[in-house]
Amino acid sequence: MADPFEVRMRFTSLLHHLNASTASALKTASYAAKHAEYSDDLHSCIIEQLERNSMNNRANIMYFLPALCDVAREKGEVSYGRMMERDILRIVDAVAPDDGSGAANVKVVRKVLAVLEGKGFLQKQTVLELEECIIGRDLSAGGPVSPPQPNGMAMDGAGSGEALQSTLRSTPQSVARDAYSVTAAPVVRLDKRQIEQRIEEDRERHKRAREGIWAVLQESGSLRDDVEFERVWEATGEVDEDDAVLASEERAERVVALDCEAV
């Protein structure tokens, strides 16, 4: 049996070095499934890394969760999926906090939640409730600005001091400055390296999504059952006179093109 501390440190290192590649996610997921006897400890590693690491790494770990649940389910291990479902609100809050610092990860959260729901790891109602929680987190934080009070309005008690301050700050420049200070969201500055890394990782994920966009699930192992052909056949409407004319025109164009190539 492996040493628990060594397993934890190795898994933490794998989480820290996650990237957008499928191989990286599968390697980390396989390691977690191999040491499923420490699932509670390894799950706590995931939570810790989500709450401590950079925005890019949090996004990579969020994308890693479906792979972990898939690999664990294939090996008959359900603990990771259950713990993920139990702590999903904490996970979402760590990846896309409501203070505006994780605004760029809100789309990541929505995509992963949809994947987890589609694979049966999360219930539809849970996803809907989480969607309500993250509404507006990708926008600038800040409350509404109260309209300025007229200078001549009578105020008593503690309000008189506020009225005096409002009078002293009644210039257009000061009003604009005060309004900006109320509505401005906390600025999250990323260095150039982090920005370039995020762009490359998003490009890699988009490329992987395009690779499987035309994939058709072949349920039967027989080549006689062509699922792709049947789908196209069902989507094709009845052939009419216009289709015959179009086919004739295309045939004539192909004949002309072949004649030009032969010359």
Side-chain angles (χ1 to χ4, degrees):
M1 180 178 292
D3 179 66
F5 181 76
E6 181 182 356
V7 171
R8 180 184 178 89
M9 295 302 296
R10 173 60 177 165
F11 186 65
T12 300
S13 177
L14 291 172
L15 289 175
H16 186 71
H17 292 90
L18 273 174
N19 53 47
S21 67
T22 304
S24 174
L26 291 178
K27 178 182 178 181
T28 308
S30 299
Y31 186 85
K34 178 181 178 181
H35 299 282
E37 64 271 20
Y38 305 116
S39 58
D40 290 339
D41 200 19
L42 298 184
H43 177 75
S44 68
C45 291
I46 295 175
I47 301 296
E48 290 175 3
Q49 293 301 307
L50 284 174
E51 294 176 344
R52 295 179 180 179
N53 280 332
S54 65
M55 182 183 66
N56 291 346
N57 190 255
R58 283 180 280 166
N60 289 333
I61 296 176
M62 189 69 185
Y63 277 117
F64 156 74
L65 292 180
L68 173 61
C69 294
D70 279 339
V71 173
R73 183 164 61 180
E74 290 176 359
K75 297 188 177 182
E77 180 61 45
V78 297
S79 58
Y80 288 109
R82 290 176 178 174
M83 288 186 290
M84 180 275 301
E85 184 179 11
R86 180 195 65 197
D87 296 332
I88 188 61
L89 179 59
R90 184 177 178 183
I91 292 172
V92 169
D93 286 337
V95 178
D98 57 0
D99 60 359
S101 61
N105 284 343
V106 173
K107 290 184 179 180
V108 174
V109 171
R110 290 197 174 104
K111 289 181 181 178
V112 174
L113 289 178
V115 172
L116 291 173
E117 179 191 355
K119 295 185 176 184
F121 296 113
L122 288 178
Q123 298 180 2
K124 183 177 182 180
Q125 182 62 30
T126 302
V127 175
L128 291 177
E129 293 174 357
L130 292 171
E131 285 284 351
E132 293 178 359
C133 291
I134 62 177
I135 289 178
R137 294 192 182 186
D138 52 347
L139 304 175
S140 297
V145 183
S146 300
Q149 300 293 336
N151 294 337
M153 180 177 293
M155 303 181 69
D156 57 349
S160 59
E162 297 177 7
L164 177 60
Q165 295 296 328
S166 177
T167 303
L168 295 176
R169 299 196 306 252
S170 59
T171 62
Q173 293 82 0
S174 61
V175 171
R177 183 175 62 252
D178 293 341
Y180 177 79
S181 63
V182 174
T183 58
V187 178
V188 180
R189 299 186 180 277
L190 300 176
D191 57 28
K192 183 178 180 181
R193 183 186 62 81
Q194 289 180 324
I195 295 174
E196 292 176 347
Q197 178 186 357
R198 185 58 177 268
I199 292 174
E200 290 298 326
E201 290 175 348
D202 288 345
R203 182 181 292 115
E204 177 67 21
R205 293 190 184 96
H206 186 61
K207 182 178 69 175
R208 289 197 343 243
R210 291 200 311 269
E211 289 176 353
I213 195 172
W214 299 107
V216 178
L217 180 61
Q218 189 77 19
E219 298 179 356
S220 174
S222 176
L223 296 178
R224 296 182 179 180
D225 300 329
D226 194 337
V227 178
E228 185 174 2
F229 173 80
E230 295 295 337
R231 179 178 298 181
V232 174
W233 179 262
E234 293 176 358
T236 303
E238 296 182 358
V239 179
D240 54 16
E241 185 177 352
D242 293 336
D243 293 325
V245 173
L246 181 61
S248 299
E249 293 175 352
E250 291 180 350
R251 179 178 180 277
E253 291 176 358
R254 287 197 297 271
V255 171
V256 173
L258 291 173
D259 291 341
C260 293
E261 292 179 358
V263 172

